[in-house]
Amino acid sequence: MISVVIPVYNVEKYLPAAIDSVLSQNIESMEVLAINDGSEDSSPEILEKYAEKDVRLKVIHQENRGLSAVRNRGLKIAKGKYIYFFDSDDVLKSNALEKILARLEATKSEIACFSVNLIDDAGHLRTKRDKKVTKGLEIKEPVKGEKFLQRTFHRGKYGAIVQKYVFLKTFLEEYGLKFDEGYIHEDEAFTMEALSLAEKTVSFEDVFLLKRTRPGSIMNTVRGEKNVEGWLKAASRLLQFVERKSLSETAKLIIKKKASQLILISLYNIQRINRRSELNISLYDYIDRAEMRKLGFVFNLKIRFNLIYKAYHKIKSLIFKQHEKTIKSF
């Protein structure tokens, strides 16, 4: 019924809690693909001990290739109807997959989304109480993925992290959706593309995943050159996706806005990196100028000449206000 893909790399401290949370799900027809990505701690031994006790857990060992490569390998060999990409330091809540699969099956949907709470290194909630963190996310009757994307994106509730979604495997295969290997922030493009293409999407307000923010994790490290490289790779992929696919104008606008956000956060971090180091990196070291032109004149003005852009924006606002006054005077 479902394949759970778990990339494992040097997480001996957190691995037992993560594996226990998956294997305790009330699902017999489940395969758990734990892919050891060249761990140098006791993670491989921990996995093998669990595999001896539960036949649903399959352990695969490989040289270190990175998170995206592991997920792509898991997607390729998974036998389940549905696929879930889980992280080896997170915790699934009891009966989470059972509830998700029931709704996916009942509605014949391609994607299910759910809420996430953050926990610290010790496993304590970072919010005051275990609450429904995404109000308005409950969708029992399926909607098109782009409608779901529009609803969550404009409300500031959209999250790209792939761990908060379960996918129909044939849907991902049909559209050839994979993770870009060799980069971090690999789910920024993957998730938005999947939602833009899905005909049926359902979601839950309920918290089904406890996501750990720990020292050394991607979420908790200082933003550096690898972050910039990953964000801009995702932005470039999204802009190419808009060019290739026949999408609604709403979906195109959202994707372009997301690409713009990724470029702007990259620019901000490039400036910080250059100030605190001897590096002199540029936005265009990672993204082609032709890609940037797809976002229009105003956005490129903002990137290249920020002060001129601010003046342009001020003039535009004054013209708009004067136009409003003219209309009201009639």
Side-chain angles (χ1 to χ4, degrees):
M1 176 69 78
I2 187 169
S3 297
V4 181
V5 177
I6 311 177
V8 177
Y9 180 70
N10 292 347
V11 284
E12 60 184 6
K13 179 179 177 181
Y14 315 101
L15 190 54
I19 297 295
D20 284 337
S21 75
V22 174
L23 295 179
S24 65
Q25 299 293 309
N26 190 27
I27 300 174
E28 288 298 323
S29 54
M30 172 177 71
E31 71 167 356
V32 182
L33 300 172
I35 304 177
N36 168 42
D37 193 35
S39 294
E40 297 170 342
D41 63 1
S42 63
S43 295
E45 289 76 22
I46 293 171
L47 290 175
E48 293 295 349
K49 287 180 180 178
Y50 272 95
E52 291 172 4
K53 300 174 184 177
D54 196 319
V55 295
R56 295 176 299 173
L57 177 62
K58 298 176 177 64
V59 180
I60 300 164
H61 300 282
Q62 66 176 40
E63 292 183 1
N64 182 257
R65 293 178 55 204
L67 183 59
S68 292
V70 173
R71 287 177 176 166
N72 285 338
R73 183 175 183 182
L75 175 59
K76 184 177 181 180
I77 64 177
K79 297 178 181 177
K81 180 177 180 180
Y82 301 98
I83 190 160
Y84 177 49
F85 300 102
F86 179 70
D87 276 359
S88 53
D89 55 356
D90 294 341
V91 177
L92 261 181
K93 300 198 77 173
S94 298
N95 301 317
L97 293 182
E98 183 181 13
K99 294 174 183 176
I100 295 165
L101 292 176
R103 186 168 295 182
L104 282 168
E105 284 286 282
T107 60
K108 300 188 184 306
S109 295
E110 296 135 325
I111 301 177
C113 177
F114 47 89
S115 294
V116 174
N117 260 344
L118 297 179
I119 56 176
D120 61 20
D121 186 65
H124 302 131
L125 284 171
R126 292 182 60 180
T127 49
K128 290 184 179 179
R129 63 186 185 277
D130 189 4
K131 59 182 180 179
K132 294 180 177 181
V133 292
T134 315
K135 296 293 184 183
L137 194 65
E138 191 72 22
I139 301 175
K140 295 180 180 179
E141 294 300 321
V143 298
K144 288 197 73 169
E146 64 179 40
K147 185 175 181 181
F148 173 82
L149 186 58
Q150 181 182 6
R151 182 186 301 185
T152 54
F153 193 84
H154 289 317
R155 293 179 183 176
K157 301 294 185 181
Y158 170 73
I161 61 166
V162 76
Q163 301 94 323
K164 62 183 290 180
Y165 299 89
V166 173
F167 301 93
L168 180 68
K169 184 171 183 269
T170 54
F171 162 73
L172 298 181
E173 292 173 331
E174 178 184 355
Y175 289 102
L177 291 173
K178 294 180 181 179
F179 298 93
D180 286 319
E181 298 185 16
Y183 301 90
I184 59 175
H185 305 301
E186 66 291 328
D187 37 12
E188 289 286 3
F190 179 94
T191 302
M192 188 158 275
E193 288 180 1
L195 286 169
S196 300
L197 295 167
E199 288 295 322
K200 290 184 175 183
T201 301
V202 290
S203 64
F204 298 80
E205 281 188 346
D206 299 298
V207 173
F208 288 151
L209 178 70
L210 301 177
K211 179 142 198 67
R212 196 183 305 271
T213 56
R214 59 184 174 86
S217 68
I218 291 173
M219 288 182 67
N220 255 14
T221 50
V222 176
R223 304 309 192 192
E225 195 172 356
K226 284 189 176 296
N227 298 92
V228 169
E229 188 180 30
W231 285 322
L232 292 177
K233 175 66 177 177
S236 178
R237 173 171 161 173
L238 286 171
L239 292 172
Q240 291 173 31
F241 175 75
V242 168
E243 292 289 310
R244 291 196 322 270
K245 297 295 182 181
S246 178
L247 305 170
S248 70
E249 288 304 312
T250 299
K252 288 180 180 179
L253 283 172
I254 291 172
I255 293 170
K256 286 185 175 182
K257 186 170 184 179
K258 181 62 180 178
S260 300
Q261 291 174 351
L262 293 169
I263 292 169
L264 287 172
I265 193 173
S266 297
L267 180 62
Y268 169 74
N269 278 274
I270 285 171
Q271 292 168 345
R272 289 178 68 245
I273 292 166
N274 287 342
R275 280 199 302 268
R276 69 172 187 251
S277 69
E278 296 180 358
L279 295 173
N280 187 27
I281 61 177
S282 163
L283 194 68
Y284 302 110
D285 292 339
Y286 306 98
I287 190 167
D288 192 86
R289 292 176 188 270
E291 299 289 346
M292 296 283 289
R293 284 195 286 271
K294 294 173 185 176
L295 293 170
F297 167 77
V298 174
F299 181 77
N300 279 274
L301 182 64
K302 185 175 185 177
I303 291 294
R304 297 184 64 190
F305 307 104
N306 196 250
L307 289 175
I308 297 175
Y309 168 78
K310 287 179 179 178
Y312 164 85
H313 189 69
K314 182 69 174 176
I315 293 168
K316 184 180 176 183
S317 297
L318 291 172
I319 292 171
F320 180 73
K321 286 178 181 177
Q322 185 60 44
H323 179 64
E324 277 191 323
K325 288 179 182 177
T326 304
I327 290 172
K328 287 178 181 177
S329 66
F330 279 97

